[in-house]
Amino acid sequence: MDMIQVCIIGSSGHFGYVLDGLREVPEARLVGVAPGSPGETMDKVLAGASRLGAAPRLFDDCLDMLDELRPDVAAVACHFGDHARVAAEVLKRGIHAFVEKPVATTYSDLRMLRDVYAAGDARLAAMFGSRQMPHFRTARQAVREGAVGDIRLIQAQKSYRLGTRDAFYRQRSSYGGTIPWVGSHAIDWVRWIGGETFESVLAMHSTRDNKDHGELETTALCHFRMTNEVFASVSLDYLRPPTAPSHGDDRIRIAGTEGVLEVRDGRVLLMNGREPGIRELPLLPKEDLFPAFIRQLDEEDGRVSAEDAFAVTEACLKARQSADEGRQVLF
Amino acid sequence: MDMIQVCIIGSSGHFGYVLDGLREVPEARLVGVAPGSPGETMDKVLAGASRLGAAPRLFDDCLDMLDELRPDVAAVACHFGDHARVAAEVLKRGIHAFVEKPVATTYSDLRMLRDVYAAGDARLAAMFGSRQMPHFRTARQAVREGAVGDIRLIQAQKSYRLGTRDAFYRQRSSYGGTIPWVGSHAIDWVRWIGGETFESVLAMHSTRDNKDHGELETTALCHFRMTNEVFASVSLDYLRPPTAPSHGDDRIRIAGTEGVLEVRDGRVLLMNGREPGIRELPLLPKEDLFPAFIRQLDEEDGRVSAEDAFAVTEACLKARQSADEGRQVLF
């Protein structure tokens, strides 16, 4: 593989996935960084790069950077409302885009990004960070291998500490909403592990008690109907107290015709008819997303991940629309 | 307190609550038993009575029994579709009714029962069995005392083994549906612990993979909107494998402005901003339902429990209607 030139745009999302991943991909080199949204500073990214021994050039304007450096890959992690616009600029230049999820925060931006993607050959993947985690990888593998039989019912949960969030979280236009931002992970699990397709959603969200976070929704509950009469709930909140033992409490429970599998506290617990009681499954190793994206640039089916990103983003936007309008939305 | 004469009608529901409770209420005496639905035999009830040292009279017809024995209290635990009709006959005779939940399986039966109840002075309570359990009593007390601040989000779960159920479970007319039968517990918790009122529900249910159980729904998922923008999901299934460590897996998670409380595996786990980490709460003792019902016969506010029974039954029927019709139903 030739040397791969990488740029990072923005410092608001999980740019750390790229910095961490670069350690594992010696053929990739961070050559430039630039903000992607008004008011972003790149200090944290530059500091992280420096710890890697990298010395990327800092640009004021990400488009100037793309045009001048012509990198192979650009990571997009600016304000969430700008993901689609910036990612489209990346793709239009034939540059592969590794984009923070959700990849768009409006239907029109999602359509635009899909069109730009379809018109070119560049790859796109979303930063579904939990897909790299041992417990979610293990859960998916077990379920796909039939550990619970046919899936019938799914409950997913994301619970975060709120703390004090950056100003851009306080407006829908820049934040996108709690369902797209927090929920995209859990909505991805439902589809990625469950393997069914969304048919309808009813969702609700509330900004109550958001401690002066403007339009940020503190709670949301989504109820999906999937193909094959599989039902899935997705519960989202920022109510985890500051004294909680960890930042987040990610869970999924998958009940099927032959058993029940759960992810909780980073563990995978399986109960099925084959052995008595509840078994804790040994975990697959972590697989970092960014190196996987780099590797798949050479693979035939490397464009699958973009479909995942678009489908999950669309599901988030439909759930958000349902919550805004108080009615069920069909897919 | 004078001697209290008790009858049991039916052998399909939790008549055991009455038999267990009689041990604690020396002033109550089981005087008669009779079937309440076609095909019921009273063998199990008579065997249980005999173990108590009681020798109730066996009647073929429960109305004959009520008219002849004129008991103070009758427990109703026949086929679920007959609860309302039989309970109404009890109440019409001025006899207090301790009724298996749901107290009705159709809107018209519920209206009829409410009218009969309102026209008389007899008391009515539903067999909300989990209300007597230490973990649910403890959870409610903690939440009501402010352990999680203002409640914002609730997730409840009932998961059962299916096994092989009696024939009457296989028809909607006699069984009533999984949302009323299994769900009534969890829907009760949402209201009883959460303290809010139902505003709307969207629910789904499926009979898939019910192992020849006719119309019995194997899975259901309900999504309630409550007053004060509190959202609640209720997940129900019969998917617990035969090798599971217990018959049921009851859970509730209540997230509020100051913390999160969970009931799981019979334990109550609380995390709030006052202490680091997760604390397991010491449990209140079990409080049997039937003795509590007998005691409240002398209390001024003893009619509150009937309102609980009617409200939860109505919520179950609205959720079932939503699932049948595929649309949100308002309260």
Side-chain angles (χ1 to χ4, degrees):
Chain A
M1 200 183 269
D2 296 334
M3 183 59 75
I4 295 170
Q5 314 273 331
V6 178
C7 287
I8 294 178
I9 302 173
S11 61
S12 303
H14 295 95
F15 60 84
Y17 294 159
V18 178
L19 296 177
D20 290 346
L22 284 168
R23 296 177 199 272
E24 288 182 39
V25 192
E27 67 274 22
R29 195 158 67 97
L30 182 63
V31 293
V33 304
S37 299
E40 281 191 310
T41 66
M42 298 303 286
D43 296 356
K44 283 184 294 182
V45 181
L46 286 170
S50 150
R51 281 191 292 272
L52 281 178
R57 281 180 58 191
L58 171 65
F59 289 75
D60 290 333
D61 185 298
C62 64
L63 303 187
D64 290 346
M65 175 176 73
L66 295 175
D67 290 332
E68 188 174 332
L69 299 183
R70 310 298 302 176
D72 302 290
V73 172
V76 178
C78 52
H79 295 176
F80 317 148
D82 294 327
H83 289 162
R85 182 183 53 75
V86 174
E89 293 292 340
V90 170
L91 295 174
K92 278 180 194 167
R93 288 165 172 79
I95 299 167
H96 305 302
F98 183 61
V99 187
E100 179 61 280
K101 49 83 225 163
V103 299
T105 58
T106 66
Y107 287 124
S108 59
D109 272 3
L110 178 60
R111 263 194 306 275
M112 178 276 295
L113 183 62
R114 269 184 151 145
D115 289 346
V116 169
Y117 173 78
D121 294 317
R123 304 280 169 98
L124 179 145
M127 297 183 190
F128 289 126
S130 39
R131 284 194 182 194
Q132 63 188 11
M133 302 308 288
H135 38 289
F136 286 109
R137 296 187 68 218
T138 304
R140 180 172 192 258
Q141 186 186 63
V143 166
R144 290 301 179 97
E145 288 175 359
V148 301
D150 294 335
I151 294 174
R152 306 298 315 131
L153 196 60
I154 301 174
Q155 298 145 260
Q157 172 189 299
K158 294 280 298 180
S159 176
Y160 280 153
R161 292 180 185 143
L162 179 57
T164 303
R165 303 263 162 172
D166 288 345
F168 81 89
Y169 279 77
R170 293 160 206 225
Q171 283 90 43
R172 169 71 68 89
S173 57
S174 45
Y175 172 57
T178 294
I179 293 174
W181 174 240
V182 179
S184 48
H185 289 293
I187 292 169
D188 179 49
W189 307 334
V190 165
R191 184 176 170 278
W192 181 63
I193 303 178
E196 302 286 346
T197 303
F198 298 111
E199 289 187 344
S200 69
V201 62
L202 180 81
M204 293 166 188
H205 54 195
S206 169
T207 60
R208 288 235 188 151
D209 299 297
N210 72 2
K211 302 193 167 74
D212 292 323
H213 278 75
E215 297 170 0
L216 177 143
E217 299 92 357
T218 327
T219 58
L221 190 62
C222 311
H223 182 148
F224 291 95
R225 186 184 184 92
M226 318 286 293
T227 42
N228 287 312
E229 297 181 26
V230 172
F231 315 134
S233 72
V234 172
S235 173
L236 309 170
D237 70 73
Y238 278 111
L239 295 170
R240 199 157 163 77
T243 54
S246 61
H247 173 63
D249 185 2
D250 288 355
R251 301 188 196 181
I252 192 164
R253 175 180 181 270
I254 300 167
T257 51
E258 294 182 35
V260 180
L261 180 141
E262 282 187 80
V263 172
R264 199 168 72 210
D265 300 325
R267 301 162 68 201
V268 183
L269 305 170
L270 174 65
M271 177 174 65
N272 63 22
R274 295 162 212 164
E275 295 180 36
I278 297 171
R279 269 189 301 148
E280 182 168 354
L281 300 188
L283 297 180
L284 291 174
K286 190 177 179 212
E287 182 182 64
D288 280 341
L289 280 179
F290 185 68
F293 179 64
I294 296 295
R295 279 194 297 275
Q296 83 175 10
L297 295 178
D298 287 331
E299 290 169 12
E300 278 289 320
D301 63 350
R303 281 172 70 96
V304 171
S305 59
E307 286 314 311
D308 285 353
F310 296 141
V312 171
T313 299
E314 183 183 353
C316 291
L317 297 181
K318 293 208 166 180
R320 189 187 68 185
Q321 180 193 355
S322 169
D324 285 342
E325 298 179 358
R327 65 180 186 85
Q328 205 173 175
V329 173
L330 303 181
F331 281 71
Chain B
M1 199 183 269
D2 296 334
M3 183 60 73
I4 296 170
Q5 314 272 331
V6 178
C7 287
I8 294 179
I9 302 172
S11 61
S12 302
H14 294 96
F15 60 84
Y17 294 160
V18 178
L19 296 177
D20 290 346
L22 284 167
R23 296 178 199 273
E24 288 182 38
V25 192
E27 66 274 24
R29 195 157 67 97
L30 182 63
V31 293
V33 305
S37 299
E40 280 191 311
T41 67
M42 298 304 286
D43 297 354
K44 284 184 294 181
V45 181
L46 286 169
S50 151
R51 280 192 292 273
L52 279 178
R57 281 180 59 190
L58 171 66
F59 289 75
D60 290 334
D61 185 300
C62 64
L63 301 187
D64 290 345
M65 174 175 74
L66 295 175
D67 290 333
E68 188 174 333
L69 299 183
R70 311 298 302 176
D72 302 290
V73 173
V76 177
C78 51
H79 295 178
F80 317 148
D82 294 326
H83 289 162
R85 182 183 54 74
V86 174
E89 293 293 341
V90 170
L91 294 175
K92 277 180 195 167
R93 288 164 171 79
I95 299 167
H96 305 301
F98 183 61
V99 188
E100 178 62 280
K101 49 82 222 162
V103 298
T105 57
T106 66
Y107 287 125
S108 59
D109 272 2
L110 178 61
R111 262 193 308 274
M112 178 276 294
L113 183 61
R114 269 182 150 145
D115 289 346
V116 169
Y117 173 78
D121 293 317
R123 304 280 169 98
L124 179 146
M127 297 183 190
F128 289 126
S130 39
R131 284 194 182 194
Q132 63 188 11
M133 301 309 289
H135 39 289
F136 286 109
R137 296 187 67 219
T138 304
R140 180 172 192 258
Q141 185 186 64
V143 166
R144 290 300 178 95
E145 288 176 358
V148 302
D150 295 335
I151 294 173
R152 306 297 315 129
L153 196 59
I154 300 175
Q155 298 144 260
Q157 172 188 299
K158 294 281 296 180
S159 176
Y160 279 153
R161 292 181 185 142
L162 178 57
T164 304
R165 303 262 162 172
D166 287 346
F168 80 89
Y169 278 76
R170 293 159 206 226
Q171 283 90 43
R172 169 71 67 90
S173 57
S174 46
Y175 172 56
T178 294
I179 293 175
W181 175 240
V182 180
S184 48
H185 289 293
I187 291 170
D188 180 50
W189 308 334
V190 165
R191 184 176 170 277
W192 181 63
I193 303 178
E196 303 285 347
T197 303
F198 298 111
E199 289 187 343
S200 69
V201 62
L202 179 82
M204 293 165 187
H205 55 193
S206 169
T207 59
R208 287 233 189 156
D209 298 296
N210 72 3
K211 302 192 169 74
D212 292 323
H213 278 75
E215 297 171 1
L216 177 143
E217 299 91 358
T218 327
T219 58
L221 190 62
C222 311
H223 182 148
F224 291 96
R225 186 183 183 93
M226 319 286 293
T227 42
N228 286 313
E229 297 181 26
V230 172
F231 315 135
S233 72
V234 172
S235 173
L236 309 170
D237 70 74
Y238 278 110
L239 296 170
R240 199 156 164 76
T243 56
S246 62
H247 173 62
D249 185 2
D250 288 355
R251 301 188 195 181
I252 190 165
R253 176 180 181 269
I254 300 166
T257 52
E258 293 181 36
V260 180
L261 180 141
E262 281 186 81
V263 172
R264 198 168 72 211
D265 300 325
R267 301 162 67 201
V268 183
L269 305 169
L270 174 64
M271 177 174 65
N272 63 21
R274 296 162 211 164
E275 294 180 36
I278 297 170
R279 270 188 302 147
E280 181 167 354
L281 299 188
L283 297 180
L284 291 174
K286 190 177 179 211
E287 182 182 63
D288 279 340
L289 279 179
F290 185 68
F293 179 63
I294 296 295
R295 280 194 296 276
Q296 84 175 9
L297 295 178
D298 287 332
E299 289 169 13
E300 278 289 320
D301 63 350
R303 281 172 70 96
V304 171
S305 58
E307 286 313 312
D308 285 354
F310 296 141
V312 170
T313 298
E314 184 182 353
C316 291
L317 297 182
K318 293 208 165 182
R320 189 187 68 183
Q321 180 192 356
S322 169
D324 285 342
E325 299 179 359
R327 64 178 186 86
Q328 205 172 175
V329 173
L330 303 181
F331 282 72

